[in-house]
mmCIF file with all atom_site columns, all heavy atoms in Angstrom:
data_model
loop_
_atom_site.group_PDB
_atom_site.id
_atom_site.type_symbol
_atom_site.label_atom_id
_atom_site.label_alt_id
_atom_site.label_comp_id
_atom_site.label_asym_id
_atom_site.label_entity_id
_atom_site.label_seq_id
_atom_site.pdbx_PDB_ins_code
_atom_site.Cartn_x
_atom_site.Cartn_y
_atom_site.Cartn_z
_atom_site.occupancy
_atom_site.B_iso_or_equiv
_atom_site.pdbx_formal_charge
_atom_site.auth_seq_id
_atom_site.auth_comp_id
_atom_site.auth_asym_id
_atom_site.auth_atom_id
_atom_site.pdbx_PDB_model_num
ATOM 1   N N   . ILE H 1 7   ? 188.877 175.815 -38.484 1.00 98.00 ? 169 ILE H N   1
ATOM 2   C CA  . ILE H 1 7   ? 189.399 177.155 -38.799 1.00 98.00 ? 169 ILE H CA  1
ATOM 3   C C   . ILE H 1 7   ? 189.207 178.066 -37.577 1.00 98.00 ? 169 ILE H C   1
ATOM 4   O O   . ILE H 1 7   ? 188.090 178.185 -37.060 1.00 98.00 ? 169 ILE H O   1
ATOM 5   C CB  . ILE H 1 7   ? 188.657 177.772 -40.012 1.00 98.00 ? 169 ILE H CB  1
ATOM 6   C CG1 . ILE H 1 7   ? 188.714 176.818 -41.220 1.00 98.00 ? 169 ILE H CG1 1
ATOM 7   C CG2 . ILE H 1 7   ? 189.256 179.138 -40.370 1.00 98.00 ? 169 ILE H CG2 1
ATOM 8   C CD1 . ILE H 1 7   ? 187.719 177.172 -42.328 1.00 98.00 ? 169 ILE H CD1 1
ATOM 9   N N   . PHE H 1 8   ? 190.285 178.680 -37.148 1.00 98.00 ? 170 PHE H N   1
ATOM 10  C CA  . PHE H 1 8   ? 190.237 179.570 -35.983 1.00 98.00 ? 170 PHE H CA  1
ATOM 11  C C   . PHE H 1 8   ? 190.487 181.022 -36.365 1.00 98.00 ? 170 PHE H C   1
ATOM 12  O O   . PHE H 1 8   ? 191.392 181.320 -37.141 1.00 98.00 ? 170 PHE H O   1
ATOM 13  C CB  . PHE H 1 8   ? 191.359 179.200 -34.994 1.00 98.00 ? 170 PHE H CB  1
ATOM 14  C CG  . PHE H 1 8   ? 191.022 178.095 -34.029 1.00 98.00 ? 170 PHE H CG  1
ATOM 15  C CD1 . PHE H 1 8   ? 191.244 176.768 -34.375 1.00 98.00 ? 170 PHE H CD1 1
ATOM 16  C CD2 . PHE H 1 8   ? 190.508 178.378 -32.776 1.00 98.00 ? 170 PHE H CD2 1
ATOM 17  C CE1 . PHE H 1 8   ? 190.952 175.741 -33.483 1.00 98.00 ? 170 PHE H CE1 1
ATOM 18  C CE2 . PHE H 1 8   ? 190.213 177.364 -31.874 1.00 98.00 ? 170 PHE H CE2 1
ATOM 19  C CZ  . PHE H 1 8   ? 190.439 176.038 -32.220 1.00 98.00 ? 170 PHE H CZ  1
ATOM 20  N N   . ASP H 1 9   ? 189.705 181.908 -35.755 1.00 98.00 ? 171 ASP H N   1
ATOM 21  C CA  . ASP H 1 9   ? 190.051 183.323 -35.672 1.00 98.00 ? 171 ASP H CA  1
ATOM 22  C C   . ASP H 1 9   ? 191.094 183.432 -34.552 1.00 98.00 ? 171 ASP H C   1
ATOM 23  O O   . ASP H 1 9   ? 191.208 182.533 -33.724 1.00 98.00 ? 171 ASP H O   1
ATOM 24  C CB  . ASP H 1 9   ? 188.772 184.100 -35.323 1.00 98.00 ? 171 ASP H CB  1
ATOM 25  C CG  . ASP H 1 9   ? 189.027 185.551 -34.982 1.00 98.00 ? 171 ASP H CG  1
ATOM 26  O OD1 . ASP H 1 9   ? 189.839 186.183 -35.670 1.00 98.00 ? 171 ASP H OD1 1
ATOM 27  O OD2 . ASP H 1 9   ? 188.412 186.041 -34.010 1.00 98.00 ? 171 ASP H OD2 1
ATOM 28  N N   . PHE H 1 10  ? 191.859 184.533 -34.502 1.00 98.00 ? 172 PHE H N   1
ATOM 29  C CA  . PHE H 1 10  ? 192.919 184.658 -33.491 1.00 98.00 ? 172 PHE H CA  1
ATOM 30  C C   . PHE H 1 10  ? 192.555 185.599 -32.337 1.00 98.00 ? 172 PHE H C   1
ATOM 31  O O   . PHE H 1 10  ? 192.439 185.180 -31.199 1.00 98.00 ? 172 PHE H O   1
ATOM 32  C CB  . PHE H 1 10  ? 194.238 185.120 -34.138 1.00 98.00 ? 172 PHE H CB  1
ATOM 33  C CG  . PHE H 1 10  ? 194.839 184.129 -35.098 1.00 98.00 ? 172 PHE H CG  1
ATOM 34  C CD1 . PHE H 1 10  ? 195.797 184.540 -36.034 1.00 98.00 ? 172 PHE H CD1 1
ATOM 35  C CD2 . PHE H 1 10  ? 194.460 182.800 -35.102 1.00 98.00 ? 172 PHE H CD2 1
ATOM 36  C CE1 . PHE H 1 10  ? 196.356 183.638 -36.914 1.00 98.00 ? 172 PHE H CE1 1
ATOM 37  C CE2 . PHE H 1 10  ? 195.011 181.883 -35.988 1.00 98.00 ? 172 PHE H CE2 1
ATOM 38  C CZ  . PHE H 1 10  ? 195.970 182.305 -36.905 1.00 98.00 ? 172 PHE H CZ  1
ATOM 39  N N   . TYR H 1 105 ? 193.459 175.597 -39.497 1.00 98.00 ? 267 TYR H N   1
ATOM 40  C CA  . TYR H 1 105 ? 193.695 176.774 -40.339 1.00 98.00 ? 267 TYR H CA  1
ATOM 41  C C   . TYR H 1 105 ? 193.345 178.032 -39.556 1.00 98.00 ? 267 TYR H C   1
ATOM 42  O O   . TYR H 1 105 ? 192.475 178.012 -38.679 1.00 98.00 ? 267 TYR H O   1
ATOM 43  C CB  . TYR H 1 105 ? 192.870 176.691 -41.625 1.00 98.00 ? 267 TYR H CB  1
ATOM 44  C CG  . TYR H 1 105 ? 193.279 175.519 -42.465 1.00 98.00 ? 267 TYR H CG  1
ATOM 45  C CD1 . TYR H 1 105 ? 192.647 174.278 -42.344 1.00 98.00 ? 267 TYR H CD1 1
ATOM 46  C CD2 . TYR H 1 105 ? 194.364 175.612 -43.346 1.00 98.00 ? 267 TYR H CD2 1
ATOM 47  C CE1 . TYR H 1 105 ? 193.055 173.183 -43.076 1.00 98.00 ? 267 TYR H CE1 1
ATOM 48  C CE2 . TYR H 1 105 ? 194.780 174.516 -44.090 1.00 98.00 ? 267 TYR H CE2 1
ATOM 49  C CZ  . TYR H 1 105 ? 194.128 173.301 -43.944 1.00 98.00 ? 267 TYR H CZ  1
ATOM 50  O OH  . TYR H 1 105 ? 194.563 172.218 -44.657 1.00 98.00 ? 267 TYR H OH  1
ATOM 51  N N   . GLY H 1 106 ? 194.028 179.127 -39.884 1.00 98.00 ? 268 GLY H N   1
ATOM 52  C CA  . GLY H 1 106 ? 193.754 180.414 -39.244 1.00 98.00 ? 268 GLY H CA  1
ATOM 53  C C   . GLY H 1 106 ? 193.183 181.387 -40.257 1.00 98.00 ? 268 GLY H C   1
ATOM 54  O O   . GLY H 1 106 ? 193.659 181.447 -41.401 1.00 98.00 ? 268 GLY H O   1
ATOM 55  N N   . LEU H 1 107 ? 192.148 182.121 -39.851 1.00 98.00 ? 269 LEU H N   1
ATOM 56  C CA  . LEU H 1 107 ? 191.572 183.170 -40.700 1.00 98.00 ? 269 LEU H CA  1
ATOM 57  C C   . LEU H 1 107 ? 191.375 184.384 -39.803 1.00 98.00 ? 269 LEU H C   1
ATOM 58  O O   . LEU H 1 107 ? 190.467 184.423 -38.972 1.00 98.00 ? 269 LEU H O   1
ATOM 59  C CB  . LEU H 1 107 ? 190.234 182.713 -41.290 1.00 98.00 ? 269 LEU H CB  1
ATOM 60  C CG  . LEU H 1 107 ? 189.532 183.713 -42.206 1.00 98.00 ? 269 LEU H CG  1
ATOM 61  C CD1 . LEU H 1 107 ? 190.387 184.070 -43.416 1.00 98.00 ? 269 LEU H CD1 1
ATOM 62  C CD2 . LEU H 1 107 ? 188.182 183.186 -42.671 1.00 98.00 ? 269 LEU H CD2 1
ATOM 63  N N   . THR H 1 108 ? 192.264 185.359 -39.947 1.00 98.00 ? 270 THR H N   1
ATOM 64  C CA  . THR H 1 108 ? 192.286 186.460 -38.980 1.00 98.00 ? 270 THR H CA  1
ATOM 65  C C   . THR H 1 108 ? 192.263 187.833 -39.639 1.00 98.00 ? 270 THR H C   1
ATOM 66  O O   . THR H 1 108 ? 192.889 188.033 -40.678 1.00 98.00 ? 270 THR H O   1
ATOM 67  C CB  . THR H 1 108 ? 193.534 186.333 -38.063 1.00 98.00 ? 270 THR H CB  1
ATOM 68  O OG1 . THR H 1 108 ? 193.504 187.363 -37.079 1.00 98.00 ? 270 THR H OG1 1
ATOM 69  C CG2 . THR H 1 108 ? 194.836 186.433 -38.847 1.00 98.00 ? 270 THR H CG2 1
ATOM 70  N N   . ASN H 1 109 ? 191.510 188.756 -39.013 1.00 97.00 ? 271 ASN H N   1
ATOM 71  C CA  . ASN H 1 109 ? 191.617 190.175 -39.359 1.00 97.00 ? 271 ASN H CA  1
ATOM 72  C C   . ASN H 1 109 ? 192.770 190.731 -38.531 1.00 97.00 ? 271 ASN H C   1
ATOM 73  O O   . ASN H 1 109 ? 192.630 190.904 -37.320 1.00 97.00 ? 271 ASN H O   1
ATOM 74  C CB  . ASN H 1 109 ? 190.319 190.917 -39.017 1.00 97.00 ? 271 ASN H CB  1
ATOM 75  C CG  . ASN H 1 109 ? 189.215 190.630 -40.026 1.00 97.00 ? 271 ASN H CG  1
ATOM 76  O OD1 . ASN H 1 109 ? 189.429 189.958 -41.032 1.00 97.00 ? 271 ASN H OD1 1
ATOM 77  N ND2 . ASN H 1 109 ? 188.028 191.141 -39.758 1.00 97.00 ? 271 ASN H ND2 1
ATOM 78  N N   . ILE H 1 131 ? 197.547 179.652 -42.720 1.00 98.00 ? 293 ILE H N   1
ATOM 79  C CA  . ILE H 1 131 ? 196.994 180.862 -42.094 1.00 98.00 ? 293 ILE H CA  1
ATOM 80  C C   . ILE H 1 131 ? 196.775 181.929 -43.159 1.00 98.00 ? 293 ILE H C   1
ATOM 81  O O   . ILE H 1 131 ? 197.637 182.139 -44.011 1.00 98.00 ? 293 ILE H O   1
ATOM 82  C CB  . ILE H 1 131 ? 197.957 181.411 -41.005 1.00 98.00 ? 293 ILE H CB  1
ATOM 83  C CG1 . ILE H 1 131 ? 198.049 180.447 -39.814 1.00 98.00 ? 293 ILE H CG1 1
ATOM 84  C CG2 . ILE H 1 131 ? 197.511 182.802 -40.527 1.00 98.00 ? 293 ILE H CG2 1
ATOM 85  C CD1 . ILE H 1 131 ? 199.089 180.820 -38.764 1.00 98.00 ? 293 ILE H CD1 1
ATOM 86  N N   . LEU H 1 132 ? 195.620 182.579 -43.081 1.00 98.00 ? 294 LEU H N   1
ATOM 87  C CA  . LEU H 1 132 ? 195.333 183.676 -44.000 1.00 98.00 ? 294 LEU H CA  1
ATOM 88  C C   . LEU H 1 132 ? 195.125 184.947 -43.172 1.00 98.00 ? 294 LEU H C   1
ATOM 89  O O   . LEU H 1 132 ? 194.263 184.983 -42.296 1.00 98.00 ? 294 LEU H O   1
ATOM 90  C CB  . LEU H 1 132 ? 194.068 183.323 -44.782 1.00 98.00 ? 294 LEU H CB  1
ATOM 91  C CG  . LEU H 1 132 ? 193.997 183.888 -46.186 1.00 98.00 ? 294 LEU H CG  1
ATOM 92  C CD1 . LEU H 1 132 ? 193.437 182.848 -47.143 1.00 98.00 ? 294 LEU H CD1 1
ATOM 93  C CD2 . LEU H 1 132 ? 193.082 185.068 -46.179 1.00 98.00 ? 294 LEU H CD2 1
ATOM 94  N N   . LYS H 1 141 ? 187.329 189.956 -43.124 1.00 98.00 ? 303 LYS H N   1
ATOM 95  C CA  . LYS H 1 141 ? 186.042 189.385 -42.700 1.00 98.00 ? 303 LYS H CA  1
ATOM 96  C C   . LYS H 1 141 ? 185.127 190.543 -42.299 1.00 98.00 ? 303 LYS H C   1
ATOM 97  O O   . LYS H 1 141 ? 185.613 191.504 -41.736 1.00 98.00 ? 303 LYS H O   1
ATOM 98  C CB  . LYS H 1 141 ? 186.242 188.462 -41.474 1.00 98.00 ? 303 LYS H CB  1
ATOM 99  C CG  . LYS H 1 141 ? 187.056 187.227 -41.735 1.00 98.00 ? 303 LYS H CG  1
ATOM 100 C CD  . LYS H 1 141 ? 187.249 186.386 -40.462 1.00 98.00 ? 303 LYS H CD  1
ATOM 101 C CE  . LYS H 1 141 ? 188.171 187.041 -39.467 1.00 98.00 ? 303 LYS H CE  1
ATOM 102 N NZ  . LYS H 1 141 ? 188.483 186.217 -38.274 1.00 98.00 ? 303 LYS H NZ  1
ATOM 103 N N   . ILE H 1 146 ? 187.139 186.642 -48.619 1.00 98.00 ? 308 ILE H N   1
ATOM 104 C CA  . ILE H 1 146 ? 188.287 186.168 -47.825 1.00 98.00 ? 308 ILE H CA  1
ATOM 105 C C   . ILE H 1 146 ? 188.084 184.701 -47.406 1.00 98.00 ? 308 ILE H C   1
ATOM 106 O O   . ILE H 1 146 ? 189.029 183.925 -47.353 1.00 98.00 ? 308 ILE H O   1
ATOM 107 C CB  . ILE H 1 146 ? 188.600 187.087 -46.619 1.00 98.00 ? 308 ILE H CB  1
ATOM 108 C CG1 . ILE H 1 146 ? 190.016 186.782 -46.079 1.00 98.00 ? 308 ILE H CG1 1
ATOM 109 C CG2 . ILE H 1 146 ? 187.543 186.997 -45.540 1.00 98.00 ? 308 ILE H CG2 1
ATOM 110 C CD1 . ILE H 1 146 ? 190.556 187.813 -45.095 1.00 98.00 ? 308 ILE H CD1 1
ATOM 111 N N   . TYR H 1 147 ? 186.831 184.322 -47.182 1.00 98.00 ? 309 TYR H N   1
ATOM 112 C CA  . TYR H 1 147 ? 186.535 182.920 -46.847 1.00 98.00 ? 309 TYR H CA  1
ATOM 113 C C   . TYR H 1 147 ? 186.781 182.038 -48.077 1.00 98.00 ? 309 TYR H C   1
ATOM 114 O O   . TYR H 1 147 ? 187.362 180.961 -47.958 1.00 98.00 ? 309 TYR H O   1
ATOM 115 C CB  . TYR H 1 147 ? 185.076 182.762 -46.402 1.00 98.00 ? 309 TYR H CB  1
ATOM 116 C CG  . TYR H 1 147 ? 184.712 183.555 -45.170 1.00 98.00 ? 309 TYR H CG  1
ATOM 117 C CD1 . TYR H 1 147 ? 184.311 184.891 -45.271 1.00 98.00 ? 309 TYR H CD1 1
ATOM 118 C CD2 . TYR H 1 147 ? 184.730 182.978 -43.904 1.00 98.00 ? 309 TYR H CD2 1
ATOM 119 C CE1 . TYR H 1 147 ? 183.951 185.626 -44.148 1.00 98.00 ? 309 TYR H CE1 1
ATOM 120 C CE2 . TYR H 1 147 ? 184.369 183.709 -42.771 1.00 98.00 ? 309 TYR H CE2 1
ATOM 121 C CZ  . TYR H 1 147 ? 183.990 185.025 -42.904 1.00 98.00 ? 309 TYR H CZ  1
ATOM 122 O OH  . TYR H 1 147 ? 183.640 185.747 -41.791 1.00 98.00 ? 309 TYR H OH  1
ATOM 123 N N   . LEU H 1 150 ? 190.446 181.445 -48.602 1.00 98.00 ? 312 LEU H N   1
ATOM 124 C CA  . LEU H 1 150 ? 190.976 180.414 -47.697 1.00 98.00 ? 312 LEU H CA  1
ATOM 125 C C   . LEU H 1 150 ? 190.635 179.015 -48.222 1.00 98.00 ? 312 LEU H C   1
ATOM 126 O O   . LEU H 1 150 ? 191.505 178.139 -48.293 1.00 98.00 ? 312 LEU H O   1
ATOM 127 C CB  . LEU H 1 150 ? 190.399 180.598 -46.293 1.00 98.00 ? 312 LEU H CB  1
ATOM 128 C CG  . LEU H 1 150 ? 190.859 179.556 -45.266 1.00 98.00 ? 312 LEU H CG  1
ATOM 129 C CD1 . LEU H 1 150 ? 192.219 179.915 -44.680 1.00 98.00 ? 312 LEU H CD1 1
ATOM 130 C CD2 . LEU H 1 150 ? 189.859 179.391 -44.140 1.00 98.00 ? 312 LEU H CD2 1
ATOM 131 N N   . PHE H 1 163 ? 184.291 176.586 -38.271 1.00 98.00 ? 325 PHE H N   1
ATOM 132 C CA  . PHE H 1 163 ? 184.919 177.898 -38.064 1.00 98.00 ? 325 PHE H CA  1
ATOM 133 C C   . PHE H 1 163 ? 184.543 178.478 -36.714 1.00 98.00 ? 325 PHE H C   1
ATOM 134 O O   . PHE H 1 163 ? 183.378 178.447 -36.312 1.00 98.00 ? 325 PHE H O   1
ATOM 135 C CB  . PHE H 1 163 ? 184.470 178.823 -39.205 1.00 98.00 ? 325 PHE H CB  1
ATOM 136 C CG  . PHE H 1 163 ? 184.936 180.242 -39.089 1.00 98.00 ? 325 PHE H CG  1
ATOM 137 C CD1 . PHE H 1 163 ? 186.280 180.563 -39.024 1.00 98.00 ? 325 PHE H CD1 1
ATOM 138 C CD2 . PHE H 1 163 ? 184.012 181.291 -39.067 1.00 98.00 ? 325 PHE H CD2 1
ATOM 139 C CE1 . PHE H 1 163 ? 186.710 181.886 -38.927 1.00 98.00 ? 325 PHE H CE1 1
ATOM 140 C CE2 . PHE H 1 163 ? 184.424 182.613 -38.985 1.00 98.00 ? 325 PHE H CE2 1
ATOM 141 C CZ  . PHE H 1 163 ? 185.774 182.902 -38.909 1.00 98.00 ? 325 PHE H CZ  1
ATOM 142 N N   . ASP H 1 165 ? 184.887 181.971 -34.329 1.00 98.00 ? 327 ASP H N   1
ATOM 143 C CA  . ASP H 1 165 ? 185.194 183.407 -34.344 1.00 98.00 ? 327 ASP H CA  1
ATOM 144 C C   . ASP H 1 165 ? 184.373 184.080 -33.250 1.00 98.00 ? 327 ASP H C   1
ATOM 145 O O   . ASP H 1 165 ? 183.257 183.648 -32.968 1.00 98.00 ? 327 ASP H O   1
ATOM 146 C CB  . ASP H 1 165 ? 184.836 183.994 -35.722 1.00 98.00 ? 327 ASP H CB  1
ATOM 147 C CG  . ASP H 1 165 ? 185.471 185.354 -35.990 1.00 98.00 ? 327 ASP H CG  1
ATOM 148 O OD1 . ASP H 1 165 ? 185.243 186.284 -35.195 1.00 98.00 ? 327 ASP H OD1 1
ATOM 149 O OD2 . ASP H 1 165 ? 186.171 185.502 -37.009 1.00 98.00 ? 327 ASP H OD2 1
#
Side-chain angles (χ1 to χ4, degrees):
I169 306 165
F170 275 88
D171 170 42
F172 294 162
Y267 297 92
L269 180 60
T270 183
N271 284 355
I293 293 173
L294 211 139
K303 294 178 289 185
I308 196 167
Y309 299 86
L312 179 83
F325 175 59
D327 197 303

